[in-house]
């Protein structure tokens, strides 16, 4: 059974991700982690979805059934789980979140004892264990070997100290007015606290989660709402997080949403100017705009591309010993600061750059113009191998000959084909997107 997608296990809570599936998945994961166990502890956190209660209890049941002790820390950002897993010397960490998805979805993300997301090999092994009912049954413990669980509510301070320490000690946010949109999600407590303790005047919105309003017309998916508040309050900058706070979208003082690629470009050149960019190179995904690559090349910075997903960005960074990378969607990774994409840590780096440069957000976060780019999701009846679709190769060669770039891939969890087309001529991009759409609708 295929459980893992681009970022952990994700689906409709109570349907794909129900209590029984979750408990079995927890047992399979516990069996996998036990092979390298040192402390017999697993950390579990969650965002603010109502279904988190069900999934958390099912996880605890499955983990304790195979002998693990569980530490439950309640609503916390995904990057906090990555950090605390290593800090508290746990064998693994688990985050219950569907990230930017609506409240009725949920998901489970796994981290190893170093706070890193699992690679594909580990995910496959967990899936294989999950599918082996007899083996799962044989690994259940009895008597004194059954695990225990406890809830700890004071770990929030550790994460706050960790994130604050990433902000330069010679700088302050005094005099900076920030609009912070917490998406009614996992950062509703830690986000405002961190910014206020660094001296900022914080106008916090969407920080009253009720289990159903996470990502609902708010946060990183709807940053224009932040833009309105920025203009109304004459703020210097707007910061929008998603439900589990691993994603960042920035709005400048004019209320304009900053593209994730522009954000990556600005931060990359800033780090390079401060001699803080390892090997003068960074990693972005195949989705990133070609204009980003061209801009970085002009500054003698190499851009390496990875598959879509922040874990693949991080993998590319590790393979080349780089310390910075990101996705245009807002997952920004400073590996010197965080183990994975961290919206709050990234926001502090943006603010540090702004304070140090003594420029406005609009001045420093618009370093280049993007090339026209169109992304379309096409619903398909079946996922035919792309290399076996007659005529596709010829159409792609035609697109390339016209100076455009295409990226065509299937969704990991849905029956959708994701088609990206990019080029300098907007009219030509739109024309060929129509051709591609019609092409696939007639063949899939």
């Amino acid at each position: 059974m295929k459980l893992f997608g681009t970022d952990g296990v994700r689906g409709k809570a109570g349907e794909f991700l129900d209590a029984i599936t979750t408990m079995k998945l927890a047992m399979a994961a516990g069996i996998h982690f036990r092979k390298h166990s040192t402390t017999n502890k697993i950390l579990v956190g969650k965002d603010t979805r109502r279904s988190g209660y069900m999934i958390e209890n099912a996880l605890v049941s499955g983990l304790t059934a195979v002998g693990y002790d569980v530490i439950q820390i309640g609503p916390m950002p995904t990057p906090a789980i990555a950090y605390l897993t290593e800090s508290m010397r746990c064998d693994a960490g688990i985050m219950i979140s569907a990230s930017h998805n609506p409240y009725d979805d949920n998901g489970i993300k796994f981290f190893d004892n170093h706070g890193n997301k699992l690679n594909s090999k580990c995910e496959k092994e967990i899936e294989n264990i999950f599918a082996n009912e007899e083996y799962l049954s044989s690994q259940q413990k009895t008597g004194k070997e059954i695990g225990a669980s406890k809830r700890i509510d004071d770990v929030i301070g550790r994460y706050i100290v960790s994130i604050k320490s990433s902000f330069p000690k010679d700088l302050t946010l005094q005099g900076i007015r920030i609009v912070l949109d917490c998406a009614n999600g996992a950062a509703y407590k830690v986000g405002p606290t961190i910014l206020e303790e660094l001296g900022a005047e914080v106008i916090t919105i969407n920080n009253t989660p009720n289990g159903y309003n996470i990502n609902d017309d708010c946060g990183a998916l709807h940053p224009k709402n932040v833009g309105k508040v920025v203009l109304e309050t004459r703020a210097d900058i707007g910061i929008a997080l998603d439900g589990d706070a691993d994603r960042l979208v920035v709005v400048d003082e004019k209320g304009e949403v900053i593209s994730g690629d522009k954000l990556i470009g600005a931060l990359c050149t800033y780090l390079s100017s401060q001699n803080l960019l390892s090997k003068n190179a960074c990693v972005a995904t195949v989705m990133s705009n070609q204009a980003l690559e061209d801009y970085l090349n002009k500054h003698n910075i190499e851009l390496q591309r990875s598959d879509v997903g922040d874990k693949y960005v991080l993998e590319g960074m590790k393979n080349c010993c780089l310390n910075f990378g990101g996705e245009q969607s807002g997952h920004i990774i400073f590996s010197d600061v965080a183990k994975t994409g961290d919206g709050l840590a990234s926001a502090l780096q943006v603010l540090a750059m702004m304070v140090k440069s003594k420029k406005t957000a609009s001045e420093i976060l618009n370093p280049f113009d993007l090339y026209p780019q169109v992304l379309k999701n096409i619903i398909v009846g079946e996922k035919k191998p792309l290399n076996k679709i007659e005529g596709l190769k010829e159409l792609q060669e035609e697109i390339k000959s016209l100076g455009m770039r295409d990226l065509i891939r299937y969704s990991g969890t849905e029956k959708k084909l994701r088609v990206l087309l990019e080029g300098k001529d907007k009219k030509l991009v739109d024309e060929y997107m129509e051709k591609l759409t019609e092409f696939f609708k007639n063949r899939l």
Side-chain angles (χ1 to χ4, degrees):
M1 181 179 178
K2 177 68 175 171
L3 293 171
F4 288 88
T6 305
D7 191 12
V9 179
R10 191 179 300 183
K12 195 71 69 179
E15 294 179 15
F16 172 76
L17 200 58
D18 59 17
I20 295 172
T21 301
T22 301
M23 185 169 64
K24 285 177 58 182
L25 178 60
M27 292 172 67
I31 293 166
H32 167 78
F33 290 125
R34 185 167 297 287
K35 293 180 179 179
H36 306 287
S37 175
T38 57
T39 64
N40 199 51
K41 296 186 299 183
I42 289 183
L43 186 75
V44 175
K46 61 182 180 179
D47 64 22
T48 57
R49 293 163 212 269
R50 178 67 173 262
S51 59
Y53 293 105
M54 172 192 73
I55 293 173
E56 182 181 27
N57 286 324
L59 281 173
V60 171
S61 293
L63 292 169
T64 54
V66 295
Y68 257 110
D69 293 334
V70 183
I71 300 172
Q72 299 163 258
I73 62 172
M76 286 285 280
T78 289
I81 305 305
Y83 167 74
L84 292 168
T85 295
E86 183 177 44
S87 173
M88 297 175 70
R89 300 187 179 184
C90 296
D91 287 343
I94 301 176
M95 177 65 180
I96 304 166
S97 176
S99 192
H100 58 277
N101 286 31
Y103 85 91
D104 49 351
D105 284 345
N106 216 327
I108 301 173
K109 304 179 185 184
F110 295 94
F111 299 88
D112 65 19
N113 62 327
H114 296 297
N116 299 315
K117 289 185 177 180
L118 303 189
N119 58 36
S120 299
K121 182 180 177 182
C122 292
E123 291 176 345
K124 184 63 177 174
E125 183 175 326
I126 291 173
E127 286 178 343
N128 290 338
I129 297 171
F130 176 92
N132 193 332
E133 297 275 359
E134 187 176 338
Y135 184 54
L136 277 180
S137 180
S138 71
Q139 295 302 301
Q140 292 190 59
K141 305 301 181 183
T142 59
K144 293 181 179 180
E145 290 186 326
I146 295 173
S149 70
K150 63 179 177 179
R151 188 173 294 277
I152 301 178
D153 297 318
D154 62 354
V155 295
I156 187 172
R158 298 193 194 194
Y159 177 63
I160 288 173
V161 169
S162 168
I163 296 302
K164 281 174 58 183
S165 67
S166 69
F167 191 75
K169 289 183 172 57
D170 60 329
L171 300 181
T172 177
L173 294 179
Q174 289 284 348
I176 304 293
R177 181 178 294 171
I178 301 169
V179 175
L180 174 66
D181 188 340
C182 297
N184 292 312
Y188 76 101
K189 288 184 180 178
V190 299
T193 302
I194 289 170
L195 295 175
E196 286 169 357
E197 289 187 3
L198 288 170
E201 178 188 347
V202 185
I203 299 164
T204 308
I205 60 175
N206 299 310
N207 65 327
T208 54
N210 60 17
Y212 308 109
N213 58 2
I214 187 170
N215 300 316
D216 185 15
D217 195 28
C218 60
L221 266 67
H222 304 277
K224 288 186 178 180
N225 296 335
V226 178
K228 291 177 184 176
V229 182
V230 166
L231 291 175
E232 289 168 1
T233 60
R234 297 182 181 180
D236 298 292
I237 193 170
I239 293 168
L241 306 172
D242 66 342
D244 66 338
D246 65 352
R247 181 186 295 199
L248 166 71
V249 174
V250 174
V251 176
D252 68 23
E253 80 284 358
K254 297 177 181 178
E256 297 295 323
V257 179
I258 301 298
S259 152
D261 282 332
K262 288 187 178 183
L263 193 62
I264 291 169
L267 286 167
C268 208
T269 50
Y270 168 72
L271 291 172
S272 178
S273 71
Q274 302 292 308
N275 295 316
L276 296 173
L277 186 66
S278 296
K279 298 184 177 180
N280 228 36
C282 72
V283 178
T285 74
V286 290
M287 297 284 287
S288 275
N289 200 287
Q290 183 63 37
L292 169 63
E293 187 167 353
D294 293 347
Y295 168 76
L296 293 178
N297 287 342
K298 286 179 182 177
H299 289 78
N300 298 313
I301 297 172
E302 180 187 359
L303 176 67
Q304 300 182 16
R305 292 187 183 257
S306 74
D307 288 337
V308 178
D310 61 330
K311 72 176 181 181
Y312 297 114
V313 173
L314 189 56
E315 192 177 283
M317 290 166 58
K318 285 181 179 177
N319 289 341
C320 299
C321 299
L322 305 180
N323 65 344
F324 179 73
E327 293 188 282
Q328 63 177 187
S329 60
H331 291 119
I332 311 293
I333 304 173
F334 294 86
S335 62
D336 294 340
V337 176
K339 293 285 184 180
T340 185
D342 189 321
L344 289 167
S346 300
L348 291 190
Q349 301 309 307
V350 173
L351 291 166
M353 175 174 63
M354 195 169 87
V355 172
K356 203 156 194 172
S357 69
K358 297 181 180 178
K359 293 181 179 179
T360 63
S362 62
E363 289 174 321
I364 59 171
L365 297 179
N366 287 291
F368 59 90
D369 292 325
L370 298 171
Y371 301 149
Q373 187 183 80
V374 180
L375 176 63
K376 192 158 190 177
N377 291 320
I378 302 171
I379 297 173
V380 299
E382 62 174 314
K383 295 181 179 180
K384 291 181 183 177
L386 295 175
N387 60 0
K388 292 186 178 179
I389 298 176
E390 190 175 343
L392 178 57
K393 183 179 178 182
E394 290 76 11
L395 183 53
Q396 287 179 298
E397 287 175 352
E398 183 181 339
I399 287 169
K400 187 177 180 181
S401 71
L402 293 168
M404 293 183 287
R405 184 175 76 93
D406 70 89
L407 176 65
I408 301 169
R409 63 189 180 92
Y410 287 111
S411 164
T413 55
E414 302 173 280
K415 282 192 173 182
K416 287 182 180 178
L417 182 71
R418 307 198 192 282
V419 181
L420 180 146
L421 193 59
E422 173 188 289
K424 295 182 180 180
D425 186 332
K426 177 70 164 60
K427 186 177 178 181
L428 201 59
V429 170
D430 289 338
E431 178 187 333
Y432 271 82
M433 177 55 81
E434 285 185 22
K435 282 188 179 182
L436 281 167
T437 302
E438 201 60 35
F439 175 87
F440 286 118
K441 282 183 176 178
N442 291 332
R443 288 162 177 79
L444 298 174

